[in-house]
């Protein structure tokens, strides 16, 4: 149960309602179970008042679906009342595992399809909800966040479209460029980095880490991820290294300029465990190239961590890198679809974010501050200190 009890003494914005699109049903069920359990355990002096009517429930999930016609067109349907509710709509725009029939052919759903389904559900609400909040872990079109030529600004357009439809808050994780929120400066927009969850997951699996400057180092695989890596390094008190990509700007391959080489900036990594952090693993070529460079520089162990594991070209290259000793662990979250194959890999660590999302929803429903969730420095320090204390005890017992 969330420990800061005072955050939940305020009156809820409205009765809680959670709509999970089919793209993230599993996550939605876990979130619903957490909130239901917490609210049954929680004590309120005003629990019997009308302001808390319907506060304790077995489930806050609202039945909704998006059926499709044979032509591929669809419509959003909500099967129960949402009038006056504080609605939270969860969608995973990266769930390519979902399919639909298009004129007799099987189509895998693209981010565009999932985004349209989200808008259909918002339209079905019909303005009857007290407040609409969208939780979209992978921000739709966030990779197209700036204009470098005569091209579309899809992410900014999508954010404006959602707010014009009545969305008050948009919650996302590790946005490719947080400055995209400038498109909707008068609406709520939070981009959350799962720093604490990454550290917790790694420490739970690796019991012999020495978290100090002499034995561990944080690595940014490119200049764009420096802010993320700087935060990790400062919180853990470690040194920082960075790679930058030398590209061939005379050619374009698969929509981007090919990388010629990865150049390293930083102190020696020899004999150290290195933790490479990025927002997403797409094809994985860059991550494996960086890991290879670090191994060539005699790094001890290589841990790859990424909020979103897209693995667009499959897992074969990661299997090969693991067998060759180039990588030791890969950590990604369950914020987007994970293949059953990925979950069985010996090198993979699944970072569960369902409890985190549950706390966010629970706090926002009470109009409570989420600042401690956005900057979890104290929790990280407590976690690391506990880890070091356990190591010391284990060392004393062995002696």
């Amino acid at each position: 149960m969330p420990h800061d009890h005072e955050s939940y003494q305020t009156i809820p914005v409205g009765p809680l309602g959670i709509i999970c699109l089919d793209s993230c049903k599993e996550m939605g069920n876990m979130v619903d179970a957490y909130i239901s359990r917490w609210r049954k355990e929680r004590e309120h002096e005003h629990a019997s008042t009308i302001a808390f009517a319907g506060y304790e429930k077995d489930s806050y999930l609202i039945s909704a679906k998006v059926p499709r016609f044979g032509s591929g067109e669809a419509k959003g349907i909500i099967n129960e009342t949402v009038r006056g509710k504080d609605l939270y709509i969860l969608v995973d725009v990266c769930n390519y595992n979902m399919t639909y029939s298009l004129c007799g052919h099987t189509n895998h759903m693209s981010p565009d399809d999932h985004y349209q389904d989200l808008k259909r559900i918002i339209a079905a609400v019909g303005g009857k909800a007290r407040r609409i909040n969208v939780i979209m872990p992978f921000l739709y079109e966030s990779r197209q966040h700036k204009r470098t030529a005569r091209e579309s600004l899809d992410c900014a357009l999508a954010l404006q479209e959602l707010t014009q439809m009545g969305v008050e808050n948009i919650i996302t994780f590790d946005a490719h460029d947080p400055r995209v929120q400038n498109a909707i400066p008068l609406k709520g927009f939070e981009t959350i980095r799962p720093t604490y969850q990454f550290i917790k997951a790694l420490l739970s699996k690796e019991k012999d880490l020495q978290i100090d400057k002499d034995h561990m180092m944080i690595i940014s695989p490119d200049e764009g991820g420096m802010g993320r890596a700087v935060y990790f390094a400062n919180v853990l008190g470690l040194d920082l290294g960075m790679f930058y990509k030398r590209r061939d700007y005379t050619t374009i391959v698969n929509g981007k300029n090919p990388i010629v080489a990865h150049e390293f900036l930083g102190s020696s990594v020899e004999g150290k465990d290195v933790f490479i952090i990025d927002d997403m693993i797409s094809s994985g070529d860059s991550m494996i190239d960086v890991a290879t460079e670090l191994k060539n520089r005699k790094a001890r162990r290589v841990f790859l961590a990424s909020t979103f594991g897209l693995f667009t070209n499959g897992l074969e290259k990661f299997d090969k890198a693991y067998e060759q000793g180039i990588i030791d662990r890969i950590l990604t979250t369950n914020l987007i679809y994970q293949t059953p194959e990925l979950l069985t890999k010996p090198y993979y660590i699944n970072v569960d974010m369902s409890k985190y999302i549950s706390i966010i929803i629970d706090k926002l429903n009470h109009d409570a501050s989420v600042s401690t969730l956005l900057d979890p420095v104290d929790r990280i320090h407590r976690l690391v200190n506990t880890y070091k204390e356990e190591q010391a005890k284990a060392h004393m017992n062995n002696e």
Side-chain angles (χ1 to χ4, degrees):
M1 180 175 175
H3 54 81
D4 50 343
H5 182 66
E6 293 300 318
S7 296
Y8 303 96
Q9 294 303 304
T10 55
I11 295 173
V13 173
L16 177 61
I18 301 173
I19 297 178
C20 294
L21 275 69
D22 288 341
S23 56
C24 57
K25 282 291 186 185
E26 186 177 348
M27 171 68 79
N29 289 332
M30 291 190 290
V31 167
D32 181 53
Y34 273 120
I35 296 176
S36 178
R37 190 178 82 241
W38 292 337
R39 292 196 168 186
K40 288 177 181 177
E41 295 172 352
R42 193 174 295 150
E43 295 181 1
H44 285 276
E45 57 179 310
H46 305 295
S48 59
T49 64
I50 193 170
F52 282 85
Y55 187 75
E56 294 182 17
K57 297 174 67 176
D58 292 331
S59 177
Y60 300 92
L61 294 176
I62 293 174
S63 175
K65 59 182 180 179
V66 186
R68 289 184 179 269
F69 302 102
S71 60
E73 298 168 296
K75 61 179 177 181
I77 301 174
I78 298 176
N79 296 315
E80 53 190 280
T81 181
V82 294
R83 188 177 295 276
K85 290 188 180 293
D86 186 23
L87 278 185
Y88 294 82
I89 306 175
L90 278 68
V91 59
D92 173 13
V93 298
C94 292
N95 192 340
Y96 61 87
N97 189 53
M98 294 183 60
T99 60
Y100 63 92
S101 178
L102 174 61
C103 299
H105 300 281
T106 299
N107 252 21
H108 284 265
M109 291 185 69
S110 70
D112 292 340
D113 292 318
H114 289 297
Y115 176 63
Q116 287 300 123
D117 283 359
L118 170 64
K119 291 198 296 180
R120 291 179 177 114
I121 291 297
I122 295 171
V125 172
K128 302 301 187 293
R130 177 73 55 83
R131 185 174 68 173
I132 299 176
N133 311 272
V134 169
I135 298 180
M136 185 188 294
F138 186 97
L139 187 60
Y140 174 70
E141 290 288 1
S142 58
R143 300 181 76 174
Q144 180 52 25
H145 61 282
K146 62 183 179 180
R147 178 177 282 156
T148 56
R150 193 174 296 278
E151 56 190 18
S152 59
L153 282 169
D154 299 57
C155 188
L157 193 63
L159 292 177
Q160 291 180 349
E161 195 172 17
L162 290 176
T163 56
Q164 288 165 9
M165 293 182 74
V167 175
E168 287 293 324
N169 294 302
I170 297 173
I171 312 297
T172 190
F173 287 80
D174 221 345
H176 196 60
D177 189 340
R179 291 173 295 182
V180 75
Q181 67 187 289
N182 293 339
I184 51 168
L186 301 181
K187 296 293 182 180
F189 181 94
E190 301 292 353
T191 174
I192 303 167
R193 288 177 176 167
T195 312
Y196 173 78
Q197 284 74 17
F198 275 134
I199 296 171
K200 183 179 180 180
L202 182 63
L203 298 189
S204 68
K205 295 293 184 181
E206 299 290 338
K207 298 300 182 182
D208 60 341
L209 293 173
Q210 292 179 272
I211 307 174
D212 57 51
K213 290 185 177 181
D214 296 327
H215 299 93
M216 200 170 184
M217 195 167 175
I218 303 296
I219 305 292
S220 175
D222 53 41
E223 60 276 20
M226 274 299 287
R228 189 180 299 105
V230 166
Y231 182 82
F232 261 89
N234 287 342
V235 170
L236 294 175
L238 305 177
D239 283 336
L240 176 69
M242 185 199 84
F243 282 86
Y244 70 90
K245 300 170 183 175
R246 279 203 293 119
R247 294 181 180 272
D248 180 4
Y249 288 99
T250 62
T251 58
I252 295 177
V253 178
N254 294 329
K256 55 187 178 182
N257 304 108
I259 298 168
V260 176
H262 288 85
E263 303 291 351
F264 182 67
L265 300 174
S267 57
S268 173
V269 298
E270 185 173 352
K272 296 180 181 179
D273 292 330
V274 291
F275 191 80
I276 308 172
I277 180 68
D278 206 358
D279 61 336
M280 71 180 74
I281 296 175
S282 186
S283 66
D285 291 337
S286 293
M287 278 289 213
I288 291 176
D289 287 346
V290 166
T292 303
E293 289 291 332
L294 290 168
K295 279 292 187 179
N296 291 339
R297 289 174 167 79
K298 299 181 181 179
R300 180 169 174 248
R301 287 180 294 185
V302 176
F303 305 110
L304 308 183
S306 176
T307 307
F308 306 109
L310 301 175
F311 303 107
T312 54
N313 292 348
L315 298 171
E316 185 177 346
K317 65 183 70 176
F318 294 96
D319 294 341
K320 186 175 180 181
Y322 176 68
E323 291 167 3
Q324 294 174 343
I326 295 172
I327 61 174
D328 292 88
R329 291 284 195 176
I330 295 178
L331 299 87
T332 68
T333 70
N334 62 341
L335 290 169
I336 62 172
Y337 171 70
Q338 300 163 298
T339 63
E341 180 190 7
L342 174 65
L343 295 172
T344 62
K345 296 299 180 182
Y347 52 80
Y348 181 68
I349 299 176
N350 178 26
V351 181
D352 181 24
M353 298 297 295
S354 58
K355 187 176 182 180
Y356 203 38
I357 292 177
S358 306
I359 298 173
I360 292 168
I361 292 175
D362 207 13
K363 278 180 171 284
L364 290 179
N365 182 236
H366 279 269
D367 251 358
S369 172
V370 294
S371 59
T372 55
L373 299 177
L374 302 179
D375 190 15
V377 175
D378 291 339
R379 287 188 297 149
I380 292 172
H381 285 165
R382 285 197 300 269
L383 180 68
V384 172
N385 290 337
T386 301
Y387 180 80
K388 290 181 177 179
E389 288 170 5
E390 290 175 354
Q391 281 185 324
K393 288 179 182 177
H395 181 69
M396 289 177 63
N397 292 335
N398 289 335
E399 288 182 344

